[in-house]
């Protein structure tokens, strides 16, 4: 299976004269239809990688290819349509003065896509929200409903790649399970490819086939979800990360798949 996205030698800098080297020579590839995880402590560079892929205001160098096409820092609408970003905070990512209808129509208008009425109705249905939500405002929705709207806004453009930045960390545990199951269903039904950033190892073990462990801007180890669950890892940092995740009684994947999870993590 070919690579939907390939990243090679990615470096990201911040500050005057590139004073802060935030991401250091990161490389990975994600096959079409797969889910790839980026895990690590806060400040390890996970979300910064998504910002570089999305070209959201970061100074980056290296090579990024989407479906075989190399990306530069000048993105066409066609390239932007192929990949969409779902942010961590469902409270801050939706305009408080816009109805859900306007929020979902906006990307369609930007990309010059017609048949908006049908597409909005289908997008809401795809994420489990009925037509009664269409003319509500974000403050009238729960956190889980807001995140469903954010996901609908991303998939309404029919992208091939979703970049998920801690998509469930701001939600209650039971709601997180629902959103994870929704994301898995959408990936299967629409052939989507995911890159998911999370500090929650249980989420990554449930969602992903492969993952990269990050520390201080660099990938210290790449492994499969089976290796993560079994603890068969090579790096001391990865073992400490797994150890730190145990024993806090938080079990999203148990709710999501109806069986005990091998990893428990904190919020």
């Amino acid at each position: 299976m070919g690579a939907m996205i390939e990243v090679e030698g990615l470096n990201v800098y911040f500050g005057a004269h590139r004073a802060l080297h935030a991401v250091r020579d990161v490389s990975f590839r994600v096959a079409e239809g797969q889910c790839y995880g980026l895990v690590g402590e806060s400040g390890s560079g996970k979300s910064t990688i998504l910002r570089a892929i999305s070209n959201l205001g970061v100074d980056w160098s290296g090579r990024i290819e989407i479906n075989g096409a190399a990306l530069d820092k000048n993105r066409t609408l066609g390239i932007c349509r192929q990949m969409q970003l779902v942010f961590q905070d469902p409270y801050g990512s939706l305009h408080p003065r816009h109805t859900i209808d306007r929020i979902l129509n906006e990307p369609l208008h930007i990309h010059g896509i017609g048949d908006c009425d049908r597409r909005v109705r289908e997008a809401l249905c795809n994420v489990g929200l009925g037509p009664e939500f269409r003319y509500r405002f974000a403050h009238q929705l729960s956190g889980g409903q807001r995140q469903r709207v954010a996901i609908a806004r991303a998939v309404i453009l029919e992208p091939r790649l979703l970049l998920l930045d801690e998509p469930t960390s701001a939600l209650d545990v039971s709601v997180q399970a629902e959103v994870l199951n929704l994301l898995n269903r959408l990936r299967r039904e629409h052939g989507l490819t995911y890159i998911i950033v999370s500090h929650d190892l249980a989420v990554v073990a449930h969602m992903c086939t492969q993952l990269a462990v990050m520390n201080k801007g660099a990938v210290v180890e790449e492994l499969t979800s089976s290796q993560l669950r079994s603890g068969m890892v090579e790096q001391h940092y990865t073992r400490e990360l797994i150890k730190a995740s145990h024993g806090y009684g938080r079990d999203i994947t148990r709710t999501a798949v109806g069986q005990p999870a091998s990893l428990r993590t904190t919020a």
Side-chain angles (χ1 to χ4, degrees), residues 191-205:
L192 295 167
T193 304
Y194 290 167
I195 299 177
I196 182 168
V197 161
S198 181
H199 66 277
D200 192 321
L201 299 185
V203 167
V204 172

Side-chain angles (χ1 to χ4, degrees), residues 87-153:
F87 295 95
Q88 174 180 4
D89 181 13
Y91 298 91
S93 65
L94 303 180
H95 198 297
R97 296 186 179 181
H98 290 176
T99 63
I100 305 308
D101 180 75
R102 183 171 177 181
I103 288 169
L104 296 182
N105 267 282
E106 185 175 29
L108 297 174
H109 292 319
I110 290 172
H111 288 265
I113 300 172
D115 200 9
C116 295
D117 182 72
R118 178 186 63 82
R119 290 178 183 272
V120 168
R121 285 187 281 107
E122 287 185 354
L124 287 172
C125 181
N126 273 339
V127 298
L129 297 176
E132 67 271 18
F133 289 91
R134 185 168 179 177
Y135 295 102
R136 294 182 185 178
F137 293 89
H139 71 268
Q140 296 175 305
L141 276 58
S142 68
Q145 290 167 344
R146 294 183 198 193
Q147 195 63 305
R148 287 173 183 267
V149 171
I151 294 168
R153 178 177 57 186

Side-chain angles (χ1 to χ4, degrees), residues 12-22 24 59:
V12 180
Y13 306 89
F14 291 107
H17 310 294
R18 295 184 162 187
L20 175 61
H21 196 172
R24 300 172 178 269
D59 178 12

